[in-house]
Amino acid sequence: MDIKVVGVIGAGVMGVGVSQSLAQNNHQVIILDISKEILERAKQEIRNNVRFESLFTKNEKMNKPEDVLTRIKFSTDYHLLADAEFIIENATEKWQVKKDIYEKIDVICPKDTVFAANTSAIPITRIASVTKRPSQVIGMHFMNPVPLKPVVETIRGYHTSEATIQTAKKLLAQMGKECILVNDSPGFVSNRVLMLTINEAVFLLQDQVATAEEVDRIFKTCFGHKMGPLETADLIGLDTILLSIEVLYDSFNDSKYRPCPLLKKMVDAGLYGRKNGQGFYTYKL
């Protein structure tokens, strides 16, 4: 049977994208965050995103913003997850925050519910260890913007069962997405490579080897990338980039993951990228 009710924890950039993608594919979504203000902002972002998509998609069956929003319940009450068949967690890359969430939902959710961690770098096996259902915990690393990305990096934890993998694949197929299944390791495949690239690009900027525009232009024109590493960092969020690199540094104890001081300085200054209008580039909000 199809998965119908999905809980989404975290109403930031990724939670908004995941919720929108689920609702556009006829799932009932329960999205949770810590305040009504965050949830109201998420609702407006989804409304704007769907409206924007409709301007560029010649599809008569395209969902209207209000139709999508009727399938999403916005709440701060975790007990609503008692009805969820599948959970996708998108909280910040801080271990204590994630640990508290999984301990809480493990008690509330039905025993058959699968937990998917949409994390940038924290190992899935570590997340599963704080639950009583480690075989039902899997990593689903969505890329931004979620509705437009057809493939999801999916991570098998040490205890993840084949049944859980098949359930995750089924949900992704219902969302119109494929998965690439990899084994568990801090950063997995994508971010173990990408975070090093971004961090080194920031070092180039700090050392005045090139400007942000020059660094990105080289990657786009010489390698054919759609975005350069610093543009990508702004899209992801510099705060998320720093947290992810710190997870890699702590996990491997390898100096190659040492965060660039300029990156730390920018995050301390509140320069997060697209999400608040200023990172390596300036954006209109």
Side-chain angles (χ1 to χ4, degrees):
M1 294 177 63
D2 288 347
I3 297 165
K4 296 179 180 178
V5 182
V6 182
V8 176
I9 299 174
V13 173
M14 296 308 297
V16 163
V18 170
S19 297
Q20 177 187 331
S21 187
L22 285 163
Q24 285 178 313
N25 287 280
N26 297 313
H27 292 89
Q28 296 299 315
V29 181
I30 304 163
I31 182 169
L32 299 180
D33 214 307
I34 59 174
S35 75
K36 292 181 179 179
E37 290 77 16
I38 293 173
L39 292 165
E40 187 57 41
R41 186 163 62 245
K43 182 184 292 186
Q44 188 58 46
E45 286 179 16
I46 291 171
R47 181 180 287 110
N48 292 342
N49 291 345
V50 176
R51 186 179 294 123
F52 184 77
E53 276 186 29
S54 67
L55 297 175
F56 295 92
T57 304
K58 294 181 179 180
N59 184 351
E60 293 181 358
K61 296 182 179 180
M62 186 73 184
N63 288 304
K64 295 178 181 179
E66 296 310 316
D67 293 336
V68 173
L69 288 171
T70 59
R71 301 186 193 112
I72 305 175
K73 184 178 293 184
F74 298 82
S75 181
T76 58
D77 183 5
Y78 272 79
H79 288 90
L80 293 180
L81 297 180
D83 296 326
E85 302 163 68
F86 199 103
I87 301 291
I88 302 175
E89 172 271 313
N90 312 270
T92 185
E93 291 294 297
K94 293 181 179 178
W95 170 242
Q96 192 58 51
V97 173
K98 288 190 181 292
K99 181 175 181 289
D100 291 347
I101 287 171
Y102 282 94
E103 288 175 343
K104 184 183 296 185
I105 64 175
D106 198 33
V107 175
I108 294 170
C109 292
K111 58 183 177 61
D112 295 332
T113 301
V114 169
F115 295 165
N118 183 13
T119 173
S120 297
I122 297 174
I124 304 308
T125 304
R126 186 180 188 190
I127 291 172
S129 71
V130 303
T131 76
K132 295 179 180 178
R133 61 183 85 194
S135 66
Q136 293 164 234
V137 180
I138 193 168
M140 286 170 61
H141 185 205
F142 291 85
M143 308 297 166
N144 188 29
V146 176
L148 302 181
K149 299 293 184 179
V151 179
V152 177
E153 182 182 32
T154 306
I155 305 97
R156 178 197 291 114
Y158 185 87
H159 295 290
T160 306
S161 69
E162 185 59 33
T164 295
I165 293 169
Q166 293 306 316
T167 300
K169 286 183 175 181
K170 184 174 185 177
L171 178 63
L172 290 173
Q174 291 174 215
M175 297 171 69
K177 301 183 187 300
E178 298 178 34
C179 82
I180 298 175
L181 184 65
V182 303
N183 290 320
D184 195 19
S185 176
F188 325 120
V189 172
S190 58
N191 280 343
R192 191 165 165 183
V193 175
L194 179 61
M195 295 302 157
L196 275 175
T197 303
I198 290 173
N199 198 44
E200 199 59 36
V202 185
F203 270 115
L204 288 169
L205 191 61
Q206 176 180 278
D207 296 343
Q208 299 183 348
V209 175
T211 64
E213 292 83 358
E214 290 165 342
V215 170
D216 285 339
R217 187 181 173 200
I218 286 170
F219 275 81
K220 289 187 288 186
T221 58
C222 297
F223 299 136
H225 293 189
K226 291 183 179 180
M227 298 178 71
L230 299 177
E231 289 173 309
T232 302
D234 274 357
L235 178 63
I236 294 171
L238 304 194
D239 51 340
T240 300
I241 296 291
L242 179 58
L243 287 169
S244 299
I245 293 173
E246 288 175 338
V247 168
L248 293 170
Y249 185 63
D250 291 341
S251 298
F252 291 109
N253 293 314
D254 191 329
S255 61
K256 71 181 179 183
Y257 296 109
R258 176 176 65 93
C260 178
L262 176 59
L263 178 61
K264 288 184 173 182
K265 185 176 182 179
M266 292 178 71
V267 172
D268 286 343
L271 309 180
Y272 298 153
R274 285 182 179 269
K275 66 174 73 176
N276 70 347
Q278 185 65 51
F280 295 108
Y281 300 91
T282 301
Y283 306 89
K284 290 183 179 180
L285 294 177

